[in-house]
Amino acid sequence: MNASVTPRRLARYPLIPVIIAMAIGFELATGSFVGSQNLLGIATDSATLAIVAVPSALLVISGYLDLSVGSTYALGAVAAGWLASEHGGGLVGCVLLALLAGLAVGAVNGFLCCVVGLSPFIVTLGTLTAVRGLAQQLAPLPLTSFGDGFAWLGGAKVAGLPSPVVIAVLVVLVAGAVLALTPVGRHIYAIGVSREAAYLSGVRVRTVPFALFLATGACAALAGAIKASVLGAVQSGTAGTGFELAVLTAVLVGGVALTGGSGTLFGVVLGVAFLGILQNGLTLVGVPTFWQQVAQGLALVVAAGLAYLSPRLEALTAVRPAAPPRPVPVT
Amino acid sequence: MNASVTPRRLARYPLIPVIIAMAIGFELATGSFVGSQNLLGIATDSATLAIVAVPSALLVISGYLDLSVGSTYALGAVAAGWLASEHGGGLVGCVLLALLAGLAVGAVNGFLCCVVGLSPFIVTLGTLTAVRGLAQQLAPLPLTSFGDGFAWLGGAKVAGLPSPVVIAVLVVLVAGAVLALTPVGRHIYAIGVSREAAYLSGVRVRTVPFALFLATGACAALAGAIKASVLGAVQSGTAGTGFELAVLTAVLVGGVALTGGSGTLFGVVLGVAFLGILQNGLTLVGVPTFWQQVAQGLALVVAAGLAYLSPRLEALTAVRPAAPPRPVPVT
Amino acid sequence: MTLQVTGLRKSFGGVHALRGVDLTIASGEVHALLGHNGAGKSTLIKALGGAFTPDGGTIEVAGRSYSGLSPRQSIDAGIAIIFQHLSLVESLSVVDNVFLGQEHRRLGVVDRGSQRAAARALLDRLGATCRVDDRVGDLPMGQRQLVEIAKALSRDPVVLVLDEPTAALSSHEIGALERTVRALQEQGLAICYVTHLLGEVERLADRMTVLRDGQVHVSTSLEGRTRRDIIEAIAEPPTDLPPRGPVHEADPPQLQVSGLSGPGIGPIDLSVRPGEIVGLYGLIGSGRTRTLEMLFGRRPRDGVVTVGGRRVTRATPRAALAAGLALVPGDRAGQGLFSSLSALDNALLPAQGVLSAFGLRRRRAEQQAFERLAEALAVHPSTPEAPARSFSGGNQQKLLLGRWVNGILPTTVLLLDEPTQGVDVRARHEIYRVVRTIASERRTAVVFASTDPEEIVALADRALVMQEGRVVGELAGAALDEDALLHAVHQSESDLQEHLS
Amino acid sequence: SAPASTKSSGDKVAKSSTDVDTVAWDYPFTFLPVYAGVAKFAKARAKEKGVALEQTNDNGRPDVQASNLDTLIAKKVPAIVSFPMVFEALEAQAAKALSAGIIWVTYGGTLQNQSASITFSFEEGGRKLGEDAAAWAQESLGGKGKVAFLVDDTIQLGRERTAGMIDAFTKAAPGMEVVGREQAIDPDTALTKTKAILAKHPDVNVVLGITDGAAFGGYKALVEAGRAEDDAETYVGGQDGDLGSLELIRKGTFYRASAALQLRDIGNAVIDVPLAVADGRSDAEASADVPIALVKPGDALLDEIIAQYG
Ligand SMILES: Nc1ncnc2c1ncn2[C@@H]1O[C@H](COP(=O)(O)OP(=O)(O)OP(=O)(O)O)[C@@H](O)[C@H]1O
Ligand SMILES: Nc1ncnc2c1ncn2[C@@H]1O[C@H](COP(=O)(O)OP(=O)(O)OP(=O)(O)O)[C@@H](O)[C@H]1O
Ligand SMILES: [Mg+2]
Ligand SMILES: [Mg+2]
């Protein structure tokens, strides 16, 4: 990725100036926004959102949608937490069990939406509800007292960075590599733009989104397990409630179109950062509770406005296309 | 509307046999499902959902979406409840104030989505958050002790029917008449299928969805006021939370496509009935909380399956189209 | 003057689609608006219909001058337009479409009875066979086009604009349309007619205006003009097509089909040798598209399909591609193009997997493959990263051709559905050249479907005439000419003449 | 600027209540009416004491709560009063706050790492209501009748209240038939659920709510079903002490009791406890335990709490 900030890049990612403006504003208002502890805190808190927003974004680019992530997150947290607290499960066991739970939910969603062809919105709204019920049924009481092994998942430092951040970076890099470097990456866009044309071009139009449902389920459950490890406790009734909306918001604010076929991972990472910084800044400034909600709502509207402006700004900064060749006049 | 149950109608509305099956099942399981008190209870409870689902369905048919209804509902309840409890407002005043509040939210949504052209999903997610914050700011404490005038809104009987049901029937009839009989009804479908084609045909592609945003806002606030009147209390923090998803679920389960351009009000009414009966039946049977959630989630998946089957069944029951004219062979 | 356009300008971002165009059409005149793909014809027409506001210039209709029109103003001024990309609403009925935005009302309510009667009368006049209550989405393209025309006529226009109205019509329907245009001309309408089919220009038009790159190149009466004059006005004259490649009777057939059948189709037997080009000719709805789609596995099928001696058992596009079959679909927008993806992605999507190493794409190899392809097919512009939607119709079609004939994929049988629909005369010629070259040099077997007899004659070694899903005749060699084709599908030559006159 | 902020944190460590200029109160269930009630008194007390009261917006999500606490700690507010959604989950944050020199007051329970706590037993509130209803049932119904519970199984405090309420009732009135146990914390849901229960059991005598909001909805359902507002064989009771419910109790309806939180005492404690810690008091000295009182018709407390709502 070329990191230089060109006008064209700014036009494409209008969140960049907004994030910079927010950072400056919050720093001026509080004097404690910029600072390694606070910034690292934002990164750690946003890591779970990023881990789920990234595969979700690929799913949306391919023209599908997974709303069930909030409950899959809870299921992953419950699965890992249960093994850790009731059976002294270690790091590997807990993570594997959480991934398995996530893959199971992903497989159900993927089967119904990609193979059978049901509406992803209704199906995953259904699994959102059903999986939450299941998670609560499995662990009606809070799970606590995890062993050190599992605590490592969320608490370790790798090269000075908290492990959730490291995992999020890995997820972004892997997904980014798939999207940019492999043929499947192009297939994801192609399916999102025109499923029919992709099918006629020999693209696996069922398998690819199915795999993305699996990845989204696995990542959601992993995120739940990570948060359980960080917090040292799981409550099945509240873990990840509303998370699906946060994920979708990050994806859409990051410039991925709900209609599929367009968007970039860089944009999604910006979307996650935007939400994390907003939440942090409002608390830092000490905005009263209800006004925080109002501000968060308005921020979404502003983000929608930016998404609207972006292609228009891009057109202005566009490199002029070469003029078409003029046929030589005959007469 | 022709009410006879033909195979073709059943294929088009597969919720009909499902609802009948549910009714029979719940009656056999509890012996108290069919009974005027329970059925009227379901109707009254579902009335507010219907009042909002109907204009929302028109909005979805026209290719837009309003997620803010849950908070607009709360704002309407707060507006009416505040006037009734703090200033002894009567029926007319309370209803007018609630409608005004709803129209204001609808106007903001409509302006941003139809005139400016921002993404309805992000914008109304934003107003959902912001308006909830406003409602809580306006009435942090529960409002109670409304006068008789306002109590009439939700408590009166008209021709033996509870007033919420009567209002819901009126909303359905008015919207149904608009959709089926007036040019605007055709325009709503046309805009949903192809905004461009509709625009070039001289259809008012901004005004019509804008009006639907206004109607949805007004109806959501009215529904909130009605519920406030029925309950005799308003809690700004809990009133209508999650209502936006219930509304969208009813609309989609009722066969309206999220992509716009298709769906019927009859289907939406069936969708509302389906959700109301399901909720009622699960409580009647006494299913434990968490399993209720699982059952509700599965019901959504089943509904998605029905929506998928419906066009296929319709094709089977279709009257064969007349054969294309045969060109007379020459050779 | 009924319609007078003066100095009209419009640009999209950096693209100057119109650079000061003048156009004058008198009442009672049929005026052909011609030009290469991307010349600006549709842009001009959209400005007339109010799809956007022009950057400059004026539009004068029936004595009133506008600097820009909204769709409602345009309709009220008496301009009726048949847009190139249909402006119909698929999920609505025929009658609802015809009167969309201009409903007959009684007491604020749609007057269905009066609308149905009026729609029926219009459709009859156009020779349409669909019923007023049919869903437009269920209709074949030809009928849809007629509904679009009925919609335009329902508004009692003073100016009628038709943007490539016949691209999807069969000769039967074209005949009816041409008669209608004549009748309207006699009633004093000013008619603007856009087409790439020069036969229509010769039969119908009184004058022509030719656009090149957004400017008027020629505007003249057609009196005494030959086809060659017209072609030269539109573009530089095409070079001759490369010669047909030899077809060796001794070669085993590359594509062998026996007993192919499906709903409304077949049984069809067919055998195509390496290097042979077979044209499927028929009226709209005769089953050519369905036959090609069945061959390609897009539709379920019965029967045996053999490619290069090996049977293709599974009826899926993937199986067909693996066997060496490839299809360029007729519905370019809906089934072919990834409009927002880059030209490179569009041309090389299925080849990227072959080009990749260790599961990773090789950008350089892709770039080189694209360059080779752009050169071989004369794709313009040859910028790999430009989105496909910014290409003209002819160049889009070349990208789709290139998707299968790029020397990377093992395509041995190429199926083409309406390969030059909406493509200008020059690009059409280039596509013929490409197809010929593929057949003669790569020995690819080609099967293509077309509604244009000229095209069949120009391109095919052998033509199969289809009717109601079956092959009812075969023409080859000297016997293959336009008259014979028309003859084969129409009752008699005189009947056809009656249609056309 | 990182070193600077570390330095300023050193300055900020409160040596006495005068060093505490801000109290951050983190309450996750901002949608509950109780929140606004306590907030009202806490704000008034804060003004009185000349400190600023900051609040968070956790939206009922434990991960957001943890994030917001991280932010408050990074910001070095002098004192945090936090109501943990899951108590164990906030031990780490509490420890982090303490080691940063921040006063940590646990609200609604206790943690191992804390400066002090403000407690009021949820279980006890439920138990008092359950016992009272059971006693009433034994007396007025001879111990025979039907009871429905409106419960909350999703969050910890809800489960504690639920357990206290149901255990106490069923133990003291074993003859009562339990005909419903439905999830409902707000009047809207409670109305719907109670109506469904009434369809099958029109003769339900007792409805106990996890919140006053839920009980209020149950009350409405009974009235809608034709029950006289002062029916002698009906008992509805809730928890929290919402104004609307208290007024029904005062009016002499069959809404007979509410396990009321003393909102003013709690609100005052939100400010007073951290200030006491700053003045050097120990956990035991500074902590406040606010009793939950069951208010019934005729209680002096009833009028007092209603008056507090002003
Ligand atoms: N909405 C648009 N945005 C950007 N460029 C456009 C747009 N519409 C048209 N153009 C460009 O304007 C030019 C003129 O296009 P137009 O569609 O008018 O050509 P045309 O003469 O109708 O071609 P054809 O014969 O292929 O239909 C082309 O270069 C095209 O790419
Ligand atoms: N006799 C038939 N039986 C079944 N389906 C038919 C029949 N006639 C038309 N169709 C439907 O019409 C649609 C295609 O019509 P269309 O006229 O565009 O293509 P086609 O029949 O393949 O003819 P052609 O490509 O030769 O014009 C298909 O979706 C097909 O299902
Ligand atoms: Mg054109
Ligand atoms: Mg065809």
Side-chain angles (χ1 to χ4, degrees):
Chain A
M1 223 177 272
N2 175 356
S4 71
V5 176
T6 62
R8 192 162 165 69
R9 188 168 283 265
L10 283 186
R12 184 142 181 220
Y13 297 112
L15 275 182
I16 296 179
V18 171
I19 287 175
I20 294 173
M22 276 166 52
I24 294 174
F26 287 140
E27 175 62 24
L28 290 181
T30 67
S32 46
F33 178 81
V34 180
S36 64
Q37 195 198 354
N38 192 48
L39 293 183
L40 218 61
I42 297 177
T44 314
D45 291 334
S46 305
T48 39
L49 185 59
I51 289 169
V52 187
V54 164
S56 293
L58 299 198
L59 203 51
V60 174
I61 293 175
S62 78
Y64 291 80
L65 175 76
D66 188 353
L67 291 174
S68 71
V69 290
S71 299
T72 311
Y73 176 104
L75 190 67
V78 162
W82 169 81
L83 195 64
S85 77
E86 314 266 303
H87 301 271
L91 176 66
V92 177
C94 290
V95 169
L96 279 185
L97 190 66
L99 288 178
L100 223 64
L103 288 173
V105 179
V108 170
N109 288 333
F111 176 77
L112 293 172
C113 299
C114 305
V115 182
V116 183
L118 306 187
S119 150
F121 193 96
I122 313 186
V123 165
T124 61
L125 198 60
T127 46
L128 175 73
T129 315
V131 170
R132 169 75 57 191
L134 266 185
Q136 290 188 266
Q137 185 66 35
L138 290 175
L141 297 174
L143 299 165
T144 51
S145 333
F146 308 146
D148 286 345
F150 182 52
W152 197 89
L153 177 64
K157 296 254 175 193
V158 182
L161 289 175
S163 52
V165 176
V166 174
I167 298 174
V169 169
L170 284 179
V171 169
V172 171
L173 288 182
V174 169
V178 168
L179 209 53
L181 303 181
T182 70
V184 171
R186 303 324 294 167
H187 295 176
I188 290 172
Y189 282 97
I191 296 169
V193 176
S194 168
R195 197 172 177 278
E196 171 75 8
Y199 180 59
L200 290 179
S201 300
V203 171
R204 297 178 191 276
V205 294
R206 289 179 187 182
T207 317
V208 171
F210 186 91
L212 293 177
F213 269 112
L214 287 183
T216 305
C219 285
L222 178 65
I226 291 172
K227 206 62 176 203
S229 163
V230 170
L231 295 175
V234 180
Q235 183 172 278
S236 58
T238 53
T241 48
F243 191 61
E244 61 285 348
L245 283 186
V247 167
L248 202 57
T249 305
V251 168
L252 297 182
V253 165
V256 176
L258 202 51
T259 43
S262 77
T264 65
L265 278 194
F266 182 62
V268 174
V269 171
L270 290 178
V272 170
F274 172 75
L275 295 184
I277 291 173
L278 183 68
Q279 171 75 51
N280 176 271
L282 291 176
T283 307
L284 269 188
V285 174
V287 176
T289 307
F290 300 140
W291 291 119
Q292 283 199 25
Q293 290 197 18
V294 175
Q296 283 178 328
L298 294 183
L300 283 189
V301 173
V302 169
L306 293 177
Y308 167 85
L309 279 181
S310 158
R312 285 160 184 77
L313 292 175
E314 254 192 296
L316 287 181
T317 61
V319 190
R320 299 259 147 147
R326 299 185 137 230
V328 189
V330 205
T331 39
Chain B
M1 226 178 271
N2 175 356
S4 71
V5 175
T6 62
R8 192 163 165 68
R9 187 168 283 265
L10 282 186
R12 182 142 183 218
Y13 297 111
L15 275 182
I16 296 178
V18 171
I19 287 175
I20 294 173
M22 278 166 49
I24 295 174
F26 288 139
E27 176 60 25
L28 290 180
T30 67
S32 45
F33 178 80
V34 180
S36 65
Q37 197 202 348
N38 193 46
L39 294 183
L40 220 62
I42 297 177
T44 315
D45 288 337
S46 306
T48 40
L49 185 59
I51 290 169
V52 187
V54 164
S56 293
L58 299 197
L59 202 51
V60 174
I61 292 175
S62 78
Y64 290 80
L65 174 76
D66 188 353
L67 290 174
S68 71
V69 289
S71 298
T72 311
Y73 176 105
L75 190 68
V78 163
W82 169 80
L83 196 64
S85 77
E86 314 267 302
H87 301 271
L91 177 65
V92 177
C94 291
V95 169
L96 279 185
L97 190 65
L99 288 178
L100 222 63
L103 287 173
V105 179
V108 170
N109 288 332
F111 176 77
L112 292 171
C113 300
C114 305
V115 182
V116 182
L118 306 187
S119 150
F121 193 96
I122 313 186
V123 165
T124 61
L125 199 60
T127 46
L128 175 72
T129 314
V131 170
R132 170 73 58 188
L134 267 186
Q136 288 188 265
Q137 184 66 35
L138 290 175
L141 293 171
L143 300 166
T144 49
S145 332
F146 309 146
D148 287 344
F150 182 51
W152 196 87
L153 177 62
K157 298 256 175 190
V158 181
L161 289 174
S163 53
V165 176
V166 174
I167 297 173
V169 169
L170 284 179
V171 169
V172 171
L173 288 182
V174 169
V178 167
L179 207 53
L181 302 180
T182 69
V184 170
R186 303 291 86 193
H187 298 175
I188 290 172
Y189 282 100
I191 295 169
V193 179
S194 169
R195 199 168 174 278
E196 174 79 6
Y199 177 63
L200 291 175
S201 302
V203 169
R204 299 179 192 281
V205 294
R206 290 179 185 183
T207 318
V208 171
F210 186 90
L212 293 177
F213 269 112
L214 288 182
T216 305
C219 284
L222 178 65
I226 291 172
K227 205 58 173 218
S229 163
V230 169
L231 285 171
V234 181
Q235 290 186 2
S236 57
T238 56
T241 48
F243 190 62
E244 61 285 348
L245 283 185
V247 167
L248 202 56
T249 304
V251 168
L252 297 182
V253 165
V256 175
L258 201 52
T259 43
S262 77
T264 66
L265 277 195
F266 183 60
V268 173
V269 171
L270 289 179
V272 170
F274 172 76
L275 295 183
I277 291 173
L278 183 67
Q279 172 68 64
N280 176 271
L282 291 175
T283 307
L284 268 187
V285 175
V287 176
T289 309
F290 301 143
W291 291 120
Q292 282 197 23
Q293 280 192 325
V294 174
Q296 283 177 329
L298 294 183
L300 281 189
V301 174
V302 169
L306 292 176
Y308 168 83
L309 279 180
S310 156
R312 286 159 183 79
L313 291 175
E314 252 191 296
L316 288 181
T317 60
V319 191
R320 296 266 146 149
R326 296 178 141 230
V328 188
V330 208
T331 39
Chain C
M1 289 302 123
T2 303
L3 175 71
Q4 184 156 18
V5 172
T6 326
L8 206 64
R9 285 185 290 111
K10 177 72 192 175
S11 56
F12 299 100
V15 181
H16 296 280
L18 297 177
R19 315 165 183 243
V21 170
D22 299 336
L23 176 69
T24 303
I25 306 180
S27 63
E29 174 185 291
V30 177
H31 195 112
L33 180 61
L34 308 176
H36 60 85
N37 287 123
K41 306 180 294 294
S42 296
T43 306
L44 173 59
I45 286 166
K46 284 185 194 156
L48 293 178
F52 48 68
T53 320
D55 299 337
T58 56
I59 299 166
E60 201 181 311
V61 198
R64 277 196 64 185
S65 180
Y66 305 84
S67 62
L69 293 159
S70 75
R72 294 192 81 86
Q73 283 176 317
S74 166
I75 292 165
D76 292 344
I79 303 175
I81 296 182
I82 292 145
F83 289 98
Q84 180 173 15
H85 297 114
L86 302 180
S87 65
L88 295 178
V89 178
E90 298 198 346
S91 70
L92 293 187
S93 68
V94 168
V95 56
D96 283 338
N97 264 288
V98 168
F99 294 100
L100 181 63
Q102 325 291 319
E103 289 82 2
H104 293 186
R105 293 162 200 238
R106 217 174 45 196
L107 309 172
V109 160
V110 177
D111 185 348
R112 290 186 187 265
S114 126
Q115 284 195 357
R116 290 165 55 94
R120 187 67 266 160
L122 282 166
L123 292 170
D124 285 345
R125 182 163 141 201
L126 293 168
T129 53
C130 60
R131 291 171 303 182
V132 293
D133 293 322
D134 286 343
R135 245 180 104 253
V136 162
D138 295 338
L139 296 177
M141 285 309 284
Q143 294 295 317
R144 288 194 209 189
Q145 187 64 271
L146 295 176
V147 174
E148 179 86 31
I149 296 166
K151 176 175 165 183
L153 295 184
S154 73
R155 295 169 180 169
D156 286 326
V158 291
V159 178
L160 179 65
V161 184
L162 303 98
D163 195 354
E164 300 195 35
T166 54
L169 296 190
S170 68
S171 44
H172 180 85
E173 292 151 336
I174 292 174
L177 176 64
E178 288 183 359
R179 267 182 293 144
T180 309
V181 169
R182 285 265 161 68
L184 293 169
Q185 177 185 15
E186 274 155 28
Q187 288 170 23
L189 266 72
I191 295 167
C192 177
Y193 200 100
V194 179
T195 184
H196 290 294
L197 303 177
L198 303 183
E200 286 174 5
V201 178
E202 291 166 342
R203 286 197 294 274
L204 279 176
D206 307 313
R207 294 179 61 83
M208 70 170 182
T209 292
V210 179
L211 296 184
R212 270 196 197 178
D213 296 332
Q215 279 170 322
V216 175
H217 179 66
V218 194
S219 188
T220 170
S221 163
L222 276 166
E223 202 101 7
R225 299 279 166 159
T226 64
R227 166 144 338 179
R228 183 140 193 101
D229 295 336
I230 302 175
I231 291 177
E232 282 177 358
I234 294 171
E236 60 187 300
T239 49
D240 284 337
L241 285 180
R244 292 169 199 272
V247 178
H248 307 294
E249 287 300 319
D251 283 347
Q254 189 61 35
L255 173 69
Q256 177 87 51
V257 178
S258 59
L260 182 76
S261 57
I265 297 288
I268 292 175
D269 298 318
L270 176 67
S271 142
V272 188
R273 293 184 195 285
E276 189 179 20
I277 303 176
V278 172
L280 299 180
Y281 179 69
L283 297 179
I284 299 266
S286 58
R288 293 157 301 168
T289 298
R290 277 174 285 157
T291 303
L292 294 178
E293 289 186 345
M294 277 163 52
L295 282 175
F296 189 61
R298 178 68 188 87
R299 287 172 187 273
R301 64 173 180 232
D302 290 322
V304 178
V305 175
T306 315
V307 176
R310 305 193 40 195
R311 184 166 170 195
V312 187
T313 41
R314 290 188 56 203
T316 66
R318 279 183 73 80
L321 288 167
L325 279 163
L327 170 71
V328 176
D331 179 1
R332 197 156 60 220
Q335 297 186 295
L337 217 59
F338 301 106
S339 57
S340 60
L341 298 190
S342 69
L344 186 145
D345 283 337
N346 268 278
L348 296 179
L349 190 81
Q352 280 166 339
V354 180
L355 287 175
S356 64
F358 311 109
L360 297 182
R361 286 167 60 198
R362 283 166 47 220
R363 304 275 182 135
R364 274 219 56 71
E366 288 180 12
Q367 290 283 352
Q368 286 163 355
F370 184 81
E371 278 164 27
R372 260 183 278 125
L373 190 142
E375 200 191 316
L377 306 191
V379 176
H380 191 91
S382 57
T383 41
E385 66 277 4
R389 75 170 104 75
S390 68
F391 284 70
S392 74
N395 284 297
Q396 290 178 349
Q397 191 72 12
K398 286 187 221 163
L399 290 176
L400 294 186
L401 273 171
R403 189 178 290 173
W404 305 119
V405 289
N406 43 32
I408 300 162
L409 297 172
T411 305
T412 56
V413 179
L414 186 59
L415 310 174
L416 305 168
D417 194 6
E418 306 284 0
T420 63
Q421 196 179 35
V423 165
D424 72 33
V425 63
R426 209 180 121 76
R428 171 185 312 236
H429 202 80
E430 282 176 19
I431 288 168
Y432 294 165
R433 185 179 57 74
V434 170
V435 173
R436 278 265 180 91
T437 313
I438 292 164
S440 63
E441 289 179 6
R442 301 221 178 113
R443 309 303 296 156
T444 308
V446 178
V447 181
F448 76 96
S450 179
T451 311
D452 180 5
E454 273 185 63
E455 177 158 296
I456 300 274
V457 173
L459 197 55
D461 298 324
R462 181 156 62 97
L464 303 177
V465 180
M466 290 196 67
Q467 213 164 60
E468 298 192 327
R470 291 193 206 184
V471 178
V472 295
E474 178 167 341
L475 297 163
L480 175 55
D481 63 27
E482 288 180 40
D483 282 345
L485 285 169
L486 291 172
H487 214 91
V489 294
H490 286 284
Q491 196 170 12
S492 68
E493 179 69 3
S494 62
D495 189 33
L496 179 69
Q497 284 310 322
E498 188 189 310
H499 273 309
L500 297 182
S501 56
Chain D
S1 69
S5 78
T6 320
K7 184 166 160 286
S8 76
S9 84
D11 297 342
K12 267 192 187 172
V13 173
K15 305 271 185 326
S16 80
S17 59
T18 50
D19 295 335
V20 176
D21 56 356
T22 305
V23 172
W25 180 41
D26 163 51
Y27 188 99
F29 311 110
T30 50
F31 45 85
L32 293 178
V34 182
Y35 166 67
V38 177
K40 194 178 133 195
F41 295 111
K43 264 183 215 152
R45 186 62 148 205
K47 208 168 168 194
E48 218 173 279
K49 297 278 179 177
V51 300
L53 179 71
E54 280 187 10
Q55 288 148 271
T56 55
N57 179 28
D58 298 340
N59 268 321
R61 292 174 51 191
D63 51 336
V64 176
Q65 178 174 44
S67 306
N68 283 339
L69 287 169
D70 284 340
T71 307
L72 291 175
I73 294 167
K75 184 185 168 185
K76 317 267 188 234
V77 285
I80 296 175
V81 180
S82 173
F83 184 179
M85 288 189 72
V86 191
F87 280 83
E88 292 83 351
L90 292 188
E91 284 290 0
Q93 260 81 12
K96 203 157 60 158
L98 290 181
S99 66
I102 296 170
I103 295 168
W104 176 284
V105 176
T106 315
Y107 178 106
T110 56
L111 289 178
Q112 270 151 25
N113 299 293
Q114 66 177 32
S115 313
S117 61
I118 301 167
T119 49
F120 31 90
S121 169
F122 299 112
E123 195 268 347
E124 187 193 343
R127 185 157 43 77
K128 281 189 167 158
L129 176 65
E131 278 166 358
D132 185 68
W136 175 89
Q138 297 297 44
E139 191 179 308
S140 307
L141 306 173
K144 293 269 169 280
K146 291 180 174 175
V147 58
F149 299 110
L150 300 169
V151 305
D152 179 28
D153 293 323
T154 59
I155 57 176
Q156 205 163 337
L157 86 91
R159 267 191 311 273
E160 285 176 16
R161 281 185 172 187
T162 300
M165 176 173 88
I166 295 183
D167 291 351
F169 185 89
T170 47
K171 203 164 130 221
M176 294 287 287
E177 185 191 352
V178 179
V179 296
R181 185 189 187 285
E182 291 290 330
Q183 168 82 30
I185 60 166
D186 63 304
D188 210 337
T189 313
L191 175 69
T192 305
K193 301 258 183 155
T194 312
K195 264 160 78 175
I197 294 170
L198 282 171
K200 197 171 168 192
H201 304 282
D203 52 348
V204 167
N205 306 94
V206 180
V207 175
L208 298 186
I210 186 73
T211 60
D212 270 332
F216 193 92
Y219 172 84
K220 277 286 164 184
L222 285 161
V223 173
E224 217 176 89
R227 205 70 65 93
E229 287 203 1
D230 55 357
D231 186 82
E233 302 209 330
T234 308
Y235 181 111
V236 169
Q239 308 179 48
D240 284 343
D242 283 358
L243 182 60
S245 304
L246 297 181
E247 281 172 345
L248 285 178
I249 295 171
R250 184 160 68 176
K251 239 171 86 183
T253 65
F254 61 72
Y255 201 126
R256 295 177 195 277
S258 171
L261 296 167
Q262 316 265 351
L263 301 187
R264 177 155 55 191
D265 294 349
I266 299 174
N268 289 346
V270 166
I271 304 301
D272 294 344
V273 173
L275 293 185
V277 172
D279 281 332
R281 305 283 171 75
S282 69
D283 187 339
E285 292 164 347
S287 291
D289 183 55
V290 186
I292 289 184
L294 192 75
V295 292
K296 301 172 63 170
D299 289 355
L301 194 58
L302 179 62
D303 293 318
E304 194 189 320
I305 298 180
I306 290 177
Q308 283 178 10
Y309 278 101

